[in-house]
Amino acid sequence: MGLAPLIVVLKTLGLRRNDEIYNQAARFWARIFGINFVTGVVTGIPMEFQFGTNWSHFSRFAGGVIGQTLAMEGMFAFFLESAFLGLFLYGEKRLSPRAHWWSAVAVCLGSWLSGYFIIATDAWMQNPVGYERAPDGSVQLRSFWELVLNPWAWWQYAHNMSGAVITGAFVMASVGAFYLLSAKYKEHGQIFLRTGVLTGCIFSILQVFPTGDGQGRMVAHNQPVTLAAMEALFTSQPGAPLVIIGQPDVEGRKIDNPLLVPKMLSFLTYRRWQARVEGLDQFPERFWPQNIPLLYFSYHIMVGLGTVFIAIMLVCVFLLWRGKLFEARWMLWILLLSLPFPYIANTAGWMTAELGRQPWLVYGLMLTADGYSKTVSAGNGMFTLLGFMGIYMVLGILFLFLVHREIEHGPAAEPASAH
């Protein structure tokens, strides 16, 4: 999803400037996008089936609500996004330049709409709205617009898509750095660097404020026990500190080796330095997230990497402004080696969201312990988990091989220096 708007930017510049280098760059990243899309479809389908196999009680309980958004996600992903991706990849010679540009826009629109309906589904599980109880105990949709306009969904979507664009920007900048370091496709590499760095800088800042701030305050107001667990705040207190570094000791109800910013958590949450922040001691222990250390570390990895991304991109923008980025090999190496970290940050963010909701499957309505299929044994679950891990590992290796092959082939038939 993060590559889609960057492809539109490259295609737009190619159309406006009538520059074949930008068109080649757009085609190159569209091929990378296509590999991501196919891998995502293949690995995502089993998750749809899990609703009926492993989570039948949850499906029976919530299917009347989440079935709407999941169906719309499938429609946009498989019809709008995939159809126009085919046109963009294979229809350039049959379409006019403007029609080809519109196909890129449609791919971007389809992928982002698809992402929104997935986020709206998860947001309903975090903050249930627009439903009513049926006589059989299940929940049914009362208002479609309440479901898709869930305030939690808006902030979560903005934060998630900002993270997706950061990932796409870092990947693009890393590939550009690779080409410059290896003295291949220099013109394309400079375009990749310039586009990735400028985009990455903007969205790295947006990831912290306002999207991260808004999502954090949403958690604080709707799931205060989750915020307390994310920060390992065991005791309620006014002027609560923000933990920069430390290890949570759940049994001892304390943070070991803490590095704190006094009163900062209170200010970030309630905009008042002396505001009282509820700690875990205010909630029954049975409603605490079940793995507080993992939740704490996931959250702090996400925040820490986000801060690093801002620093890297600000330095890159400064060097770009000074006209020194393309020759600064030390910075190019930093960008190249940074490639995996946005993926780690996004994974840590999703772990924070889903671990923080526990022990609820639908917050306040259904416990996770009540949602799984009771006739599926632990052995069956472990067997299928190991099977999927093996299959996904093979697909992951294939994905890396295909992307590596595209990078080796490059964005043009000949190196840019030959033009």
Side-chain angles (χ1 to χ4, degrees), residues 20 38 113 144 241 266 295 332 391:
E20 182 58 22
V38 171
L113 283 173
F144 173 77
S266 291
L295 171 60
L332 297 179
I391 294 171

Side-chain angles (χ1 to χ4, degrees), residues 35-79:
I35 296 170
N36 276 271
F37 179 79
V38 171
T39 307
V41 169
V42 173
T43 56
I45 287 175
M47 297 187 68
E48 300 282 351
F49 285 104
Q50 284 187 51
F51 285 114
T53 58
N54 292 12
W55 298 96
S56 59
H57 288 266
F58 168 66
S59 298
R60 189 179 302 113
F61 174 78
V65 175
I66 65 172
Q68 317 294 320
T69 46
L70 289 177
M72 295 184 74
E73 186 276 334
M75 290 288 290
F76 281 107
F78 287 101
F79 290 94

Side-chain angles (χ1 to χ4, degrees), residues 290-341:
Q290 293 146 325
N291 196 330
I292 291 174
L294 183 57
L295 171 60
Y296 168 89
F297 286 117
S298 297
Y299 171 68
H300 282 79
I301 287 171
M302 175 189 70
V303 173
L305 286 176
T307 306
V308 171
F309 297 158
I310 293 175
I312 290 174
M313 287 303 179
L314 285 177
V315 173
C316 286
V317 168
F318 175 76
L319 291 173
L320 183 65
W321 174 61
R322 294 294 301 273
K324 298 180 178 179
L325 177 61
F326 301 145
E327 289 76 36
R329 293 181 66 85
W330 62 274
M331 194 70 240
L332 297 179
W333 273 107
I334 290 175
L335 284 172
L336 178 61
L337 297 175
S338 296
L339 188 148
F341 291 104

Side-chain angles (χ1 to χ4, degrees), residues 69-310:
T69 46
L70 289 177
M72 295 184 74
E73 186 276 334
M75 290 288 290
F76 281 107
F78 287 101
F79 290 94
L80 179 61
E81 186 180 359
S82 58
F84 282 97
L85 178 60
L87 284 175
F88 186 80
L89 288 173
Y90 303 112
E92 184 172 8
K93 294 181 180 179
R94 295 179 177 272
L95 299 172
S96 68
R98 288 188 177 275
H100 194 244
W101 178 84
W102 276 111
S103 68
V105 173
V107 169
C108 181
L109 181 63
S111 64
W112 280 52
L113 283 173
S114 172
Y116 184 79
F117 289 119
I118 289 292
I119 294 294
T121 304
D122 186 77
W124 183 83
M125 296 166 67
Q126 301 278 0
N127 181 45
V129 294
Y131 69 92
E132 60 186 10
R133 287 279 191 173
D136 63 357
S138 66
V139 293
Q140 301 295 325
L141 186 63
R142 185 189 71 242
S143 171
F144 173 77
W145 292 112
E146 281 189 63
L147 173 64
V148 297
L149 299 179
N150 187 343
W152 189 291
W154 285 106
W155 284 115
Q156 186 175 357
Y157 180 71
H159 194 56
N160 180 81
M161 300 311 289
S162 177
V165 175
I166 290 170
T167 304
F170 263 90
V171 170
M172 185 172 287
S174 296
V175 173
F178 169 75
Y179 284 146
L180 292 184
L181 287 169
S182 56
K184 297 191 302 184
Y185 307 106
K186 291 184 178 180
E187 290 182 66
H188 299 87
Q190 291 176 3
I191 290 171
F192 296 166
L193 265 177
R194 189 181 301 110
T195 305
V197 163
L198 292 175
T199 305
C201 184
I202 294 170
F203 281 89
S204 293
I205 295 171
L206 292 177
Q207 185 75 342
V208 175
F209 186 87
T211 68
D213 177 72
Q215 180 65 19
R217 298 183 73 189
M218 187 67 65
V219 171
H221 286 88
N222 293 276
Q223 298 181 10
V225 64
T226 301
L227 176 68
M230 287 161 54
E231 291 288 350
L233 184 68
F234 293 101
T235 305
S236 303
Q237 54 188 288
L242 184 71
V243 179
I244 303 299
I245 298 175
Q247 302 83 47
D249 179 1
V250 179
E251 291 185 1
R253 304 294 194 265
K254 62 186 178 70
I255 291 280
D256 293 330
N257 309 309
L259 176 62
L260 308 174
V261 180
K263 303 181 181 181
M264 183 58 70
L265 182 59
S266 291
F267 178 77
L268 292 176
T269 305
Y270 299 109
R271 299 296 188 264
R272 290 182 290 112
W273 295 106
Q274 293 296 333
R276 178 181 174 84
V277 180
E278 293 182 318
L280 288 166
D281 60 336
Q282 294 296 304
F283 307 95
E285 194 166 338
R286 68 181 185 277
F287 293 142
W288 291 10
Q290 293 146 325
N291 196 330
I292 291 174
L294 183 57
L295 171 60
Y296 168 89
F297 286 117
S298 297
Y299 171 68
H300 282 79
I301 287 171
M302 175 189 70
V303 173
L305 286 176
T307 306
V308 171
F309 297 158
I310 293 175

